């Protein structure tokens, strides 16, 4: 059931209004496990509940041969999915179609270049409240 909810959430995000998305990343000075712990702690420290952790790296590594690829994209990659009742209400009161951006996600990856923490950008206007929230969580997690 959790996988269905995550898939539905991803579909809702992808079906949202088109805008110039940017992926914002910040290098993490430490291990993948330390980064995931730091992100989880920063999210929970904001009083938020993590709804789901998507282990995308495990899935990609497990299914590569099944789809005819031998390329390893990540040594590890997780996405933390969560929402903020307060901020979500604010942005959806401004425009109910902002529901297409919910839930929010912060990812941690490890590849040949090291460990990275990131999130996607949001459009100008009310959704900047979400971007500010994510930016603050990531900055706390990476120690900035």
């Amino acid at each position: 059931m959790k996988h269905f909810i995550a898939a539905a959430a991803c579909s809702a995000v992808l079906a949202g209004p088109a805008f110039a998305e940017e992926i914002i990343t910040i290098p993490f000075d430490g291990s993948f496990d330390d980064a995931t712990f730091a992100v989880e702690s920063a999210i929970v420290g904001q009083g938020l509940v993590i709804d789901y952790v998507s282990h995308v790296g495990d899935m990609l590594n497990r299914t590569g041969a099944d789809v005819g690829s031998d390329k390893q994209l990540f040594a590890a990659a997780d996405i933390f999915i969560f929402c903020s009742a307060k901020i979500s209400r604010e942005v959806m009161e401004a425009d109910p179609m902002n529901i297409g951006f919910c839930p929010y996600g912060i990812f941690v990856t490890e590849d040949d270049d090291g460990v990275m923490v990131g999130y996607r950008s949001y459009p100008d206007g009310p959704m900047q409240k979400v971007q500010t929230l994510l930016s603050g969580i990531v900055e706390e997690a990476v120690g900035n």
Side-chain angles (χ1 to χ4, degrees), residues 30-33 73-77 108-116:
S31 71
F32 177 82
D33 289 339
L73 299 171
F74 302 105
V108 178
T109 64
E110 180 178 12
D111 61 16
D112 294 339
D113 295 326
V115 178
M116 192 171 308

Side-chain angles (χ1 to χ4, degrees), residues 6 15 28 55 62 65 74 77 89 92 94-95 101 109-111 121 123 127 129 133-134:
F28 184 85
H55 303 287
R62 183 180 64 251
F74 302 105
R89 175 162 290 279
M92 287 180 221
D95 180 354
F101 296 108
T109 64
E110 180 178 12
D111 61 16
S121 65
M127 290 306 296
K129 292 179 181 181
L133 171 70
L134 299 180

Side-chain angles (χ1 to χ4, degrees), residues 4 16 22 49 102 104 114:
F4 174 77
E22 179 181 328
V49 174
C102 196
Y104 316 123

Side-chain angles (χ1 to χ4, degrees), residues 2-65:
K2 282 187 177 181
H3 294 287
F4 174 77
I5 293 170
C10 287
S11 295
V13 169
L14 294 176
F19 64 93
E21 271 186 37
E22 179 181 328
I23 302 299
I24 299 163
T25 60
I26 300 174
F28 184 85
D29 186 21
S31 71
F32 177 82
D33 289 339
D34 288 346
T36 59
F37 180 78
V39 167
E40 181 177 356
S41 297
I43 293 169
V44 172
Q46 291 285 323
L48 304 170
V49 174
I50 298 169
D51 295 320
Y52 182 73
V53 179
S54 178
H55 303 287
V56 176
D58 290 345
M59 179 274 298
L60 291 170
N61 291 335
R62 183 180 64 251
T63 61

